[in-house]
């Protein structure tokens, strides 16, 4: 299971300490894919492996939601909305946000609720694909893609598992200054 996407605008101190603004729900969660790229290096000496390193480089997140309203798109992409009209400008810059979600898991026959939180994400303009009405009804969704970066202190993600959905939701909410969903 997947539910409860929440995001908040990131304010980052010079030491990497994050503060996230009011949590907002971008839409109902349909799917989420996080892909991480790592640095990989090996050193061979004396005819054997002497050192190896695999460390975080960057990542991408693809968040599919049922409907991205204009306010959500503007907030995540740095656009403006005035009197119900979203204006996209070439000089707009998307803000960094924190992005969290709750994943339902089955562990030893018991449901567990894992909060996955990405500390620093910057979304980019989504592709637009539309089609005419055909013989059957098709639901449209919106997929927003972003780049996952590290905070100045090196942190890029956090996760915690809870026994109840309520405890997971409370934890996720606590990562933001307030929740307005």
């Amino acid at each position: 299971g997947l539910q409860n996407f929440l995001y908040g605008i990131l304010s980052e101190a010079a030491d990497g300490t994050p503060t996230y603004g009011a949590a907002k729900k971008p839409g109902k969660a349909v799917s989420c894919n996080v892909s991480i790229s790592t640095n990989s290096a090996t050193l061979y000496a004396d005819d054997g492996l002497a050192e190896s390193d695999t460390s975080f480089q960057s990542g991408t997140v693809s968040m599919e939601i049922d409907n991205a309203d204009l306010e959500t798109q503007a907030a995540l992409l740095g656009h403006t909305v005035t009197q119900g009209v979203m204006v996209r400008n070439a000089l707009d810059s998307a803000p960094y946000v924190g992005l969290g979600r709750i994943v339902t898991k089955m562990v030893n026959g018991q449901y567990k609720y894992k909060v996955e939180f990405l500390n620093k994400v910057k979304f980019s303009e989504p592709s637009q694909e539309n089609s005419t009405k055909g013989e059957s009804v098709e639901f449209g969704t919106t997929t927003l893609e972003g780049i996952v970066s590290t905070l100045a202190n090196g942190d890029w993600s956090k996760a915690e598992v809870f026994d109840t959905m309520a405890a997971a939701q409370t934890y996720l909410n606590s990562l933001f200054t307030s929740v307005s969903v």
Side-chain angles (χ1 to χ4, degrees), residues 3-4 102-104 112-113 162-170:
Q3 53 191 305
N4 297 351
I102 299 175
V103 179
T104 304
K112 301 288 181 180
Y113 305 91
F162 298 89
D163 291 332
T164 67
M165 173 58 89
Q169 190 66 59
T170 298

Side-chain angles (χ1 to χ4, degrees), residues 28-97:
K28 292 180 181 177
V30 176
S31 69
C32 185
N33 182 21
V34 178
S35 179
I36 302 303
S37 298
T38 57
N39 295 311
S40 183
T42 55
L43 172 66
Y44 289 89
D46 288 338
D47 290 336
L49 180 64
E51 298 288 340
S52 69
D53 177 54
T54 304
S55 57
F56 177 86
Q57 181 184 63
S58 67
T60 58
V61 60
S62 179
M63 170 180 67
E64 185 179 4
I65 54 178
D66 66 334
N67 180 38
D69 60 44
L70 295 181
E71 294 292 334
T72 297
Q73 289 182 54
L76 287 173
L77 301 172
H79 303 315
T80 57
V81 176
T82 305
Q83 297 177 334
V85 177
M86 181 173 70
V87 176
R88 296 177 181 104
N89 186 286
L91 300 177
D92 290 346
S93 179
Y96 283 106
V97 299

Side-chain angles (χ1 to χ4, degrees), residues 153-170:
N153 64 13
D155 293 348
W156 63 273
S157 177
K158 60 177 90 177
E160 191 167 341
V161 178
F162 298 89
D163 291 332
T164 67
M165 173 58 89
Q169 190 66 59
T170 298

Side-chain angles (χ1 to χ4, degrees), residues 105-120:
K105 305 172 65 87
M106 179 72 74
V107 178
N108 296 324
Q110 299 292 317
Y111 284 111
K112 301 288 181 180
Y113 305 91
K114 183 178 180 184
V115 174
E116 287 280 355
F117 189 81
L118 298 170
N119 293 328
K120 188 174 184 179

